[in-house]
Amino acid sequence: DQQVKQNSPSLSVQEGRISILNCDYTNSMFDYFLWYKKYPAEGPTFLISISSIKDKNEDGRFTVFLNKSAKHLSLHIVPSQPGDSAVYFCAATDSGTYKYIFGTGTRLKVLA
Amino acid sequence: GEEVAQTPKHLVRGEGQKAKLYCAPIKGHSYVFWYQQVLKNEFKFLISFQNENVFDETGMPKERFSAKCLPNSPCSLEIQATKLEDSAVYFCASSPTIVSGVQPQHFGDGTRLSIL
């Protein structure tokens, strides 16, 4: 049973435009969500996170939105840059266990 | 160090042999996590430690898999009598002491285990 889902395996965006990556979850016990970026042959790199008590968190070009009632979060990257091309994973956890449940990733390609 | 260091980068074993993977967490981090990535994109949680104590082992297969984090030594994940299905990339992550909320986990670059 996939508790965290990223339904778009891939996304292509023009340089300078907005990239929107989506993630859905089913477990209402999750209270913390994170986005990681991964290049081939490297480990995931932390990008941005959000607590369930918030609905938005912003860090530079990256903004994460959380809709608790819909059990949905999204990552917005504005403006997108070619260096953003990577696989993006969303992860969810609850503050009791700290273990991450990952989505299956979305491969973002930013075209120059 | 400032990075999670995993060794070796790649490990090849024949089916039935033992495999041992190592992880040095970031200095000062008290939590260590192991994940298994199969089929390229699926991460599966295996086990976590708080210092040298097992914190959560709900993801560990009951047989053949064991892990340790001993003081002044790298953490280790050992697989006895390996099977073809154990072929995967094993990631280690560490995080600081969690005072409130959740601290992001910092990942190493993984060990690719190939069982032939």
Side-chain angles (χ1 to χ4, degrees), chain B residues 16-30:
Chain B
Q17 292 185 316
K18 182 177 79 175
K20 195 164 185 177
L21 292 61
Y22 297 92
C23 168
I26 292 172
K27 195 175 179 182
H29 282 192
S30 51

Side-chain angles (χ1 to χ4, degrees), chain B residues 57-74:
Chain B
E57 57 182 348
T58 52
M60 279 290 263
K62 295 279 186 275
E63 299 172 353
R64 304 189 299 108
F65 282 63
S66 62
K68 289 180 192 174
C69 275
L70 300 175
N72 303 313
S73 296

Side-chain angles (χ1 to χ4, degrees), chain A residues 2 4-9 23 87-90 101-107, chain B residues 37 39-43:
Chain A
Q2 194 81 29
V4 178
K5 293 180 186 176
Q6 292 177 255
N7 291 318
S8 298
C23 180
V87 180
Y88 289 77
F89 290 92
C90 70
I101 307 298
F102 282 89
T104 50
T106 296
R107 181 177 302 279
Chain B
Q37 188 188 29
L39 297 174
K40 206 165 188 182
N41 277 353
E42 284 190 32
F43 285 87

Side-chain angles (χ1 to χ4, degrees), chain A residues 2 31-32 34 36 38 41-44 46 49 87 89 93-100 102-105 107, chain B residues 31 33 35 37 40-45 48 55-56 58-59 91 98 101-110 112:
Chain A
Q2 194 81 29
D31 57 2
Y32 210 78
L34 309 96
Y36 279 79
K38 187 179 181 303
E42 293 184 11
F46 170 69
S49 62
V87 180
F89 290 92
T93 187
D94 69 79
S95 47
T97 69
Y98 308 130
K99 67 183 179 188
Y100 289 176
F102 282 89
T104 50
R107 181 177 302 279
Chain B
Y31 283 86
F33 304 81
Y35 294 87
Q37 188 188 29
K40 206 165 188 182
N41 277 353
E42 284 190 32
F43 285 87
K44 180 192 169 192
F45 167 79
S48 60
F55 185 74
D56 182 347
T58 52
F91 286 99
I98 296 160
V102 171
Q103 294 279 1
Q105 295 174 21
H106 299 261
F107 284 77
D109 286 340
R112 178 176 295 280

